[in-house]
Amino acid sequence: MSTGLPEQWPRLLADIGGSNARFALETAPGVIEDIEVLPCAGHPTLLDAVRAYLDLAGARAVAHAAFGIANPVLGDWVQMTNHHWAFSIEATRRALGLTTLLVINDFTALALALPHLPASELLQIGGGEAEAGAPLALIGPGTGLGVSALIPYPGGHAPLSGEGGHVGFAPFDEREADIWRHAMRRFGHVSAERLLSGSGIPLIYQALCERAGETAAELDPAEVTARGLSGACPRCRETLEVFCGMLGGAAANLALNLGARGGVYLGGGIVPRLRGFFEQSPFRRRFEDKGRMSGYLAAIPVYLIVSSYPALPGVAAHLAAELASARARPRAHPDDGAAGE
């Protein structure tokens, strides 16, 4: 039955973070091509970025599109938390001449992608076998801290869409308490994202320098990371160790909240850059250091997502499901409602 939503290809996909927007065209079911990464700062608005991508891709006609974005999506108006872009979904749809434009949280999209990621794009960090039919947890530091989950039910999965990165940070020991105090003096409320994000890396470094009575150098996240990985700066190395330990604690809290015996997945842009160091870091030790629940957590596998563009299959799956649902709905008859007029 026709619904007015043709099976038109290609479909426009996007994964929009606070720093970069990743665009692609789905040219057939599951076939994702023409991937481009555009810096958000290089474009005044989302609409400008989309049009720039379509020009790069050859400006092929597109009817259906879906975007994952690092932000809550609570209605038509979207104001990004970690970037200045703000837009109306409906106005953007009209401006681009689209039949369909869906916008969801980027980590909801990544959660939807988890069943589609091949084993070759997952690096297991400890634990045993994933339990079939159990929830899957997702957490990942990047420009911000994304959190989601995938809850299995008969015949499918339901993603959770929330803002778990903004829960309050809980220190594990005196060193982390000192870091928390340093951040609290500067910002008041200290969320998990405040420390477990790109901007959190130099903040941890500065707090550790203050704790040691040292003068902190003016280092950005990439510089702290590079000096820590090379061993050129012991305080930067300590920063990375603390960061990984904090992430282990946050991931364990999420696993306990969800009963995520199906596994915990690590996304975001930061941890993949720490490969080699991360596997030997305090992450897994902290993940299991939960007193009476240590044995429970020790069995849970953690998977580092090493895909280059892991959220795009989830965006595509969401768009496909919504279009299929729209086609399955009965069309309104032109005479419907006329009797009451």
Side-chain angles (χ1 to χ4, degrees), residues 292-314:
R292 290 172 292 173
M293 297 307 294
S294 293
Y296 179 94
L297 289 162
I300 295 178
V302 175
Y303 302 102
L304 173 59
I305 299 170
V306 296
S307 309
S308 297
Y309 310 103
L312 292 176

Side-chain angles (χ1 to χ4, degrees), residues 134-320:
L136 285 61
L138 172 64
I139 186 169
T143 304
L145 178 64
V147 175
S148 186
L150 202 60
I151 310 300
Y153 64 87
H157 299 81
L160 296 185
S161 181
E163 289 298 316
H166 294 280
V167 301
F169 172 74
F172 174 74
D173 55 21
E174 281 302 312
R175 179 170 62 178
E176 290 188 9
D178 287 342
I179 295 169
W180 174 81
R181 293 185 189 99
H182 175 91
M184 185 185 65
R185 288 194 296 270
R186 290 183 58 182
F187 301 105
H189 172 67
V190 182
S191 66
E193 177 176 281
R194 180 66 69 185
L195 298 170
L196 291 172
S197 61
S199 60
I201 290 175
L203 181 60
I204 294 170
Y205 164 74
Q206 292 157 12
L208 291 173
C209 288
E210 178 183 80
R211 188 172 189 265
E214 302 168 354
T215 300
E218 292 293 329
L219 302 176
D220 64 24
E223 291 169 328
V224 174
T225 301
R227 294 187 184 195
L229 291 176
S230 69
C233 171
R235 199 64 63 207
C236 292
R237 185 82 170 185
E238 182 186 9
T239 297
L240 297 184
E241 291 172 351
V242 168
F243 179 90
C244 293
M246 288 177 172
L247 181 59
N253 288 342
L254 182 61
L256 290 172
N257 279 325
L258 295 170
R261 296 180 66 82
V264 175
Y265 290 77
L266 301 178
I270 293 177
V271 180
R273 298 190 183 105
L274 303 179
R275 283 184 67 180
F277 171 85
F278 185 77
E279 295 92 314
Q280 308 303 319
S281 78
F283 170 84
R284 186 73 207 193
R285 184 170 67 253
R286 278 286 303 279
F287 181 82
E288 298 181 12
D289 193 355
K290 288 291 183 182
R292 290 172 292 173
M293 297 307 294
S294 293
Y296 179 94
L297 289 162
I300 295 178
V302 175
Y303 302 102
L304 173 59
I305 299 170
V306 296
S307 309
S308 297
Y309 310 103
L312 292 176
V315 176
H318 177 67
L319 179 56

